Amino acid sequence: MHCTYGCILISSLKLIIKIFRSLTAYDHFLIFLIILSVLKIADVFLDDGAGAGIHFLILGALLFVISSILFFGFKYLTKQKKKYQHALISTFLILLMLSHADPDPVRGILVIFLLYISKFFITYKKQTIFNPIAFAIGTTTLIAMVIPFIEIAPLDFSGIDIRFTILGQLVPIALVPISLSLLFNVGRIRKHRLALAFIIPSLLFGFFFPEYTDNFTSFALAIVFMGTAIIVEPKTSPHKANEQLIYGISIAVIVFGLHVFKVPNALVLGLMACNVLYFIFKQKRA
């Protein structure tokens, strides 16, 4: 009997490993984002009550509906072969990165619209210039800085700041899937050097800002998530080892400089700047 149970367990583990290996890096990443979203939903229901949880679900559902309509609309109009899976990944990222406390319909639609402008139109010789998430949130931020009725996109990473009470202590449970993603997802696309080159100096720079040291756990979650899920985007980040190190450190330094001058949403604006610099470098090297 024990042997039978043991054989079943071993066979099940082998099947899970086989399925895991058959999945693409994008499959792994989408699963990772779904896990984070489920944890966030549970966190909202447990901490803020059923009303807040239902509000979050409705907000998320509307975001996916609008995103899907725009994706298939642009795909039909441009006749480009874009994968819906990538649209889902981008929508999950926006849901997890932006604040849900004060949703603004105009700003929300603008972010999603700019996401697909970047995906479908901001290219040069079929090369993607900007990380779509950085372009969408960053450009919305720049527009809000000059147009009064549009507010700054609330980039607070509240969707990943998930904490459950365990043994009387608030534990940042999101750190578990984020760390696993750093180990496995980032490893699949061979971007560990890039992720760590951004994460380590960024965490060190964080000690210079009281607003981060006062809540360093939230800051660290945002930085590790940014390094694990955003800057390693394959189409807009380098593949060579030395270029990854330079690129990651450069983003951290530019973001630090923007923070010094109190520029809002410095994380995405710094990434946008490095997207442009790396694109120029690729063109000169070609």
Side-chain angles (χ1 to χ4, degrees):
M1 182 68 70
H2 291 295
C3 181
T4 303
Y5 289 145
C7 291
I8 293 173
L9 179 60
I10 291 171
S11 299
S12 299
L13 288 173
K14 286 182 177 179
L15 179 62
I16 292 171
I17 292 171
K18 184 179 180 180
I19 294 172
F20 182 81
R21 288 177 175 174
S22 68
L23 298 175
T24 67
Y26 285 109
D27 294 330
H28 289 169
F29 191 48
L30 183 57
I31 292 170
F32 156 66
L33 294 175
I34 291 171
I35 291 170
L36 277 178
S37 299
V38 170
L39 287 173
K40 181 59 183 178
I41 292 168
D43 180 50
V44 173
F45 270 97
L46 290 172
D47 287 352
D48 302 324
I54 292 170
H55 170 77
F56 180 78
L57 287 174
I58 293 172
L59 186 66
L62 286 173
L63 185 66
F64 277 95
V65 169
I66 294 169
S67 178
S68 298
I69 291 171
L70 288 174
F71 171 78
F72 287 111
F74 277 121
K75 185 176 181 178
Y76 175 78
L77 291 173
T78 62
K79 309 299 182 184
Q80 294 185 41
K81 295 180 179 179
K82 300 287 187 180
K83 292 183 178 180
Y84 184 56
Q85 181 190 46
H86 297 175
L88 286 175
I89 287 172
S90 296
T91 309
F92 270 114
L93 286 170
I94 289 173
L95 181 68
L96 293 169
M97 292 170 65
L98 295 182
S99 173
H100 320 112
D102 183 26
D104 181 336
V106 174
R107 183 180 58 207
I109 293 172
L110 179 61
V111 168
I112 297 293
F113 180 76
L114 289 171
L115 172 74
Y116 291 115
I117 290 294
S118 175
K119 284 180 177 289
F120 284 91
F121 298 107
I122 311 297
T123 60
Y124 178 76
K125 295 182 178 179
K126 296 184 178 181
Q127 295 182 55
T128 304
I129 300 173
F130 291 103
N131 178 300
I133 295 295
F135 180 84
I137 299 175
T139 304
T140 302
T141 301
L142 294 174
I143 292 172
M145 292 170 72
V146 296
I147 300 179
F149 69 85
I150 297 179
E151 296 181 2
I152 300 292
L155 182 67
D156 66 354
F157 293 89
S158 57
I160 62 164
D161 196 352
I162 306 163
R163 309 190 195 195
F164 290 158
T165 302
I166 300 176
L167 299 176
Q169 298 293 323
L170 280 176
V171 178
I173 199 69
L175 192 58
V176 175
I178 292 173
S179 299
L180 290 174
S181 180
L182 179 61
L183 288 172
F184 296 108
N185 294 358
V186 177
R188 286 291 295 271
I189 57 176
R190 299 180 180 180
K191 295 290 179 78
H192 274 132
R193 290 182 180 86
L194 170 55
L196 294 175
F198 167 77
I199 291 170
I200 294 172
S202 295
L203 292 176
L204 294 174
F205 289 149
F207 288 107
F208 290 93
F209 299 94
E211 62 266 35
Y212 297 139
T213 53
D214 291 343
N215 194 0
F216 195 77
T217 301
S218 296
F219 170 72
L221 281 171
I223 291 297
V224 177
F225 182 80
M226 190 80 179
T228 300
I230 309 299
I231 70 166
V232 295
E233 195 273 329
K235 294 180 181 178
T236 55
S237 61
H239 299 285
K240 293 182 179 180
N242 60 334
E243 291 179 6
Q244 287 187 33
L245 293 173
I246 295 170
Y247 187 73
I249 294 171
S250 298
I251 296 173
V253 171
I254 291 175
V255 169
F256 174 72
L258 293 174
H259 274 309
V260 170
F261 290 101
K262 307 295 183 182
V263 176
N265 293 343
L267 277 170
V268 290
L269 292 177
L271 177 54
M272 279 184 69
C274 284
N275 284 162
V276 173
L277 292 174
Y278 180 61
F279 177 76
I280 293 171
F281 169 76
K282 286 193 298 183
Q283 298 310 305
K284 290 187 175 182
R285 183 181 59 185

